Amino acid sequence: MPEPMSSVSFPPSFLWGAATSAYQIEGAVREGGRTPSIWDTFSHTPGRTAGGEHGDIAVDHYHRYREDVALMAELGLGAYRFSISWSRVQPTGRGPAVQVGLDFYRRLVDELLAHGIKPAVTLYHWDLPQELEDAGGWPERDTAYRFAEYAQIVGEALGDRVEQWITLNEPWCSAFLGYGSGVHAPGRTEPAGTLRAAHHLNLAHGLGASALRSVMPARNTVALSLNSATVRPVSQDPADLAAARKIDDLANGVFHGPILHGAYPETLFAATELVTDWSYVQDGDLAAINQPLDALGLNYYTPALVSAAETEVTGPRADGHGASEHTPWPGADDVAFHQTPGDRTAMGWTIDPTGLHELIMRYTREAPGLPLYITENGAAYDDKPDPDGRVHDPERIAYLHGHLAEVRRAIADGADVRGYYLWSLMDNFEWAYGYEKRFGAVYVDYSTLTRTPKSSAYWYGKAARTGALPESDEVF
Ligand code: FCB
């Protein structure tokens, strides 16, 4: 059970950060030689995003980064996780780097460092240069080599000033939502292509990690961020347990198997044998993927509840990954997803902080000795300014409190969690949902692009400054 709202303190070295990603905040999509990424193309394709919304301007962070860094500093944040737009630094996804693009990130990092905020760079948060998609995208092996080259370029440019590196953000979404259900860019719906994409993303991670290490100072750390699911069966019935096993393989094992252990789970091969023969896994790939990691990033929002398709379960079915007539789960037609009971956020995602504790403890067992970071956690609510212009979001404070308390409980239980990045610093382009879903601790008025910290930003800022969760009766 989540702890009651009370003061909970963290180790002094615990890192308190916030996270964003390039396409969701930067805008300036045609500046400095940047070319379209798959998300530019997808969001400009009619019917793909809510209201046809796109990231052309987003929250204009490209021009307002100084203001945004100042805001983080005022709040007292210790770290900032952001991603690099591949199309900004290597517009066609191959060839020489564009210095104007790299200069933007150099300036951003210098601004962060000048304010005492630790930068954490994610190289790939879903925005593949369109030219690489035109050449086949992630189902194509060459994309992994292109990523390694790009990683080297960015590592060379920023490795002297950024210590924390993340190769990929949530490769599950890139592969399974981008090439399976098609609710994310590039919007393809190919069951076999989904698993090919997953393998090539794994390869990209491994080759990218090696490329980074070949050009960066040894003190820098290399990690990746997984949206590893906490998968729960509706019952202990063998059919429901088998359903949970299958989804666990397709959500988690497909990535952590090769990355942490150097092998895909045998049960994954069995579950997907009608979809693919995995012949694209070449000799040497598993060794290339199984690079030592310095840390693992976990992104957590809500648990998954599954059963065998024939199990009768009352209540709505939902897997929380958006509506599509195509499943993101190849080979799992015999599995049903159910709405976990409990209160939900504006995304319809059930609030269950215990799932975060479960996830942390799972990876504490899965990868003993590997430092963990929560690289994303947060909630969308229908935030609106009061007449006095302030934005009160007590639900988000409760969400953050509940989840951070579970992180603290995991640390007490022996987990090595080094930091937490709130998703997100500010409201932004929430992919296929457009601007309607507000995840920010900072409110953005989309007509003026004015930033207003919500009460959760002040709450979180106090937690960051004091290293303890504020008392529940404190007003922000
Ligand atoms: C994660 C993404 C992030 C944001 C949050 C809500 O899956 O990494 O960009 O969309 O979900």
Side-chain angles (χ1 to χ4, degrees):
M1 287 300 291
E3 291 186 23
M5 298 271 258
S6 66
S7 175
V8 178
S9 4
F10 284 70
S13 59
F14 193 79
L15 215 49
W16 300 81
T20 61
S21 89
Y23 191 69
Q24 295 180 276
I25 63 163
E26 283 181 4
V29 292
R30 278 174 282 277
E31 281 182 52
R34 183 187 179 281
T35 55
S37 74
I38 54 175
W39 267 99
D40 295 78
T41 308
F42 187 77
S43 60
H44 281 279
T45 306
R48 292 304 206 171
T49 63
E53 285 168 345
H54 49 71
D56 283 11
I57 298 174
V59 299
D60 196 32
H61 171 75
Y62 185 79
H63 297 113
R64 294 166 198 248
Y65 70 94
R66 282 202 178 84
E67 183 192 337
D68 293 335
V69 173
L71 198 50
M72 283 186 248
E74 257 169 60
L75 292 170
L77 302 193
Y80 176 51
R81 170 179 178 239
F82 62 96
S83 81
I84 307 277
S85 159
W86 189 342
S87 312
R88 213 180 269 298
V89 308
Q90 203 190 21
T92 59
R94 51 184 96 235
V98 168
Q99 291 305 319
V100 187
L102 287 169
D103 284 344
F104 167 67
Y105 297 107
R106 289 190 182 103
R107 288 196 303 274
L108 169 62
V109 168
D110 290 347
E111 194 75 9
L112 289 164
L113 294 173
H115 285 81
I117 298 169
K118 281 197 163 83
V121 161
T122 304
L123 286 172
Y124 185 73
H125 200 122
W126 307 352
D127 44 358
L128 190 69
Q130 182 61 42
E131 283 208 23
L132 294 186
E133 173 57 27
D134 294 343
W138 285 110
E140 185 59 46
R141 187 176 173 87
D142 187 56
T143 306
Y145 296 103
R146 300 282 65 77
F147 177 79
E149 195 179 283
Y150 156 68
Q152 182 164 334
I153 288 173
V154 185
E156 268 164 356
L158 300 177
D160 60 339
R161 56 198 101 178
V162 175
E163 288 185 13
Q164 294 195 73
W165 291 77
I166 293 164
T167 53
L168 306 177
N169 177 68
E170 302 190 357
W172 186 86
C173 294
S174 298
F176 290 72
L177 300 181
Y179 295 90
S181 65
V183 299
H184 277 189
R188 284 162 59 180
T189 52
E190 302 161 15
T194 300
L195 296 164
R196 287 179 73 100
H199 178 63
H200 295 139
L201 281 152
N202 281 331
L203 188 59
H205 160 74
L207 298 174
S210 303
L212 282 176
R213 288 201 173 107
S214 73
V215 294
M216 292 198 315
R219 66 166 187 275
N220 292 357
T221 61
V222 180
L224 94 161
S225 289
L226 296 176
N227 54 324
S228 286
T230 300
V231 185
R232 295 170 174 162
V234 295
S235 82
Q236 296 302 305
D237 185 285
D240 295 334
L241 290 174
R245 158 96 260 158
K246 187 179 271 193
I247 296 307
D248 189 62
D249 282 343
L250 285 166
N252 303 322
V254 64
F255 299 107
H256 77 224
I259 290 170
L260 298 178
H261 309 305
Y264 284 103
E266 286 301 326
T267 42
L268 172 69
F269 291 142
T272 55
E273 66 186 356
L274 297 179
V275 179
T276 183
D277 61 5
W278 293 87
S279 54
Y280 38 86
V281 180
Q282 297 185 7
D283 283 353
D285 282 5
L286 290 166
I289 296 168
N290 183 214
Q291 294 301 314
L293 284 180
D294 299 302
L296 180 64
L298 299 174
N299 295 357
Y300 173 83
Y301 291 91
T302 189
L305 183 65
V306 305
S307 73
E310 75 263 15
T311 304
E312 275 189 39
V313 180
T314 51
R317 292 192 171 196
D319 82 348
H321 291 297
S324 168
E325 60 200 66
H326 301 274
T327 174
W329 304 101
D333 294 343
D334 53 349
V335 176
F337 285 80
H338 306 278
Q339 182 78 57
T340 311
D343 291 344
R344 293 186 236 158
T345 67
M347 294 296 282
W349 297 345
T350 303
I351 303 162
D352 188 341
T354 64
L356 179 54
H357 179 270
E358 207 174 308
L359 189 66
I360 295 169
M361 298 319 290
R362 190 241 178 111
Y363 280 94
T364 297
R365 290 188 299 274
E366 194 85 49
L370 188 62
L372 303 175
Y373 287 85
I374 306 308
T375 39
E376 284 182 31
N377 176 240
Y381 287 104
D382 296 328
D383 308 305
K384 285 185 191 63
D386 287 347
D388 65 2
R390 294 205 230 165
V391 185
H392 288 290
D393 57 344
E395 308 92 340
R396 185 172 290 101
I397 292 180
Y399 183 100
L400 297 175
H401 192 295
H403 286 77
L404 277 158
E406 288 296 287
V407 172
R408 183 66 188 87
R409 185 161 75 89
I411 294 172
D413 291 345
D416 185 8
V417 188
R418 305 272 177 97
Y420 174 96
Y421 292 86
L422 186 165
W423 184 272
S424 180
L425 172 66
M426 52 194 162
D427 294 337
N428 57 49
F429 176 71
E430 179 47 34
W431 309 111
Y433 295 91
Y435 294 96
E436 197 204 328
K437 304 294 180 206
R438 293 180 176 273
F439 272 93
V442 173
Y443 182 86
V444 177
D445 176 332
Y446 289 116
S447 55
T448 61
L449 295 175
T450 309
R451 280 85 158 124
T452 306
K454 304 175 191 176
S455 36
S456 62
Y458 296 116
W459 180 91
Y460 187 66
K462 179 160 187 199
R465 289 191 310 275
T466 60
L469 305 185
E471 297 290 340
S472 55
D473 54 0
E474 206 172 327
V475 179
F476 288 88

